[in-house]
Amino acid sequence: MACHVRTFPESTRTAHEAADAIGCEIGQIAKSLIFRDAANDPPVLIVASGANRVDVGKVETVLGVKLTRAEGKWVKARVGFAIGGVPPVAHDERLATVLDSDLWHYETL
């Protein structure tokens, strides 16, 4: 499987902007969101289709944890990337990860 990193002069901060810049469906954009396990404090990564909103309650049920929003400084310190620039791989520590099943509908993300 090939992976090609591209940069763009325009903003790709949101899923809509990224899809417009690259010329794909918004659902093909994999957005990486970091949450904080409220009880044990490790980061939790949710990789969601750009077309979807994350239902935190469903994720909490699947993982059996209570999630809270992660602050920017905490994300940078724990994951190694700033909010808005968190990739789905290459983090500073191992992360519990949830993958949006809608991403399987696409051959290319």
Side-chain angles (χ1 to χ4, degrees), residues 17-95:
E17 290 173 345
D20 287 346
I22 201 164
C24 69
E25 293 179 42
I26 192 169
Q28 290 176 270
I29 301 299
K31 51 188 179 182
S32 301
L33 307 169
I34 299 290
F35 288 84
R36 192 173 186 165
D37 179 332
N40 300 315
D41 201 46
V44 175
L45 171 65
I46 301 172
V47 181
S49 168
N52 296 338
R53 285 193 74 138
V54 172
D55 184 331
V56 176
K58 284 183 181 179
V59 175
E60 289 174 331
T61 299
V62 168
L63 295 179
V65 299
K66 174 71 177 154
L67 297 177
T68 61
R69 287 201 170 271
E71 295 179 0
K73 288 181 183 179
W74 185 88
V75 172
K76 177 73 172 162
R78 297 295 296 268
V79 179
F81 298 93
I83 289 175
V86 176
V89 296
H91 307 110
D92 285 351
E93 61 181 89
R94 294 178 67 108
L95 305 177

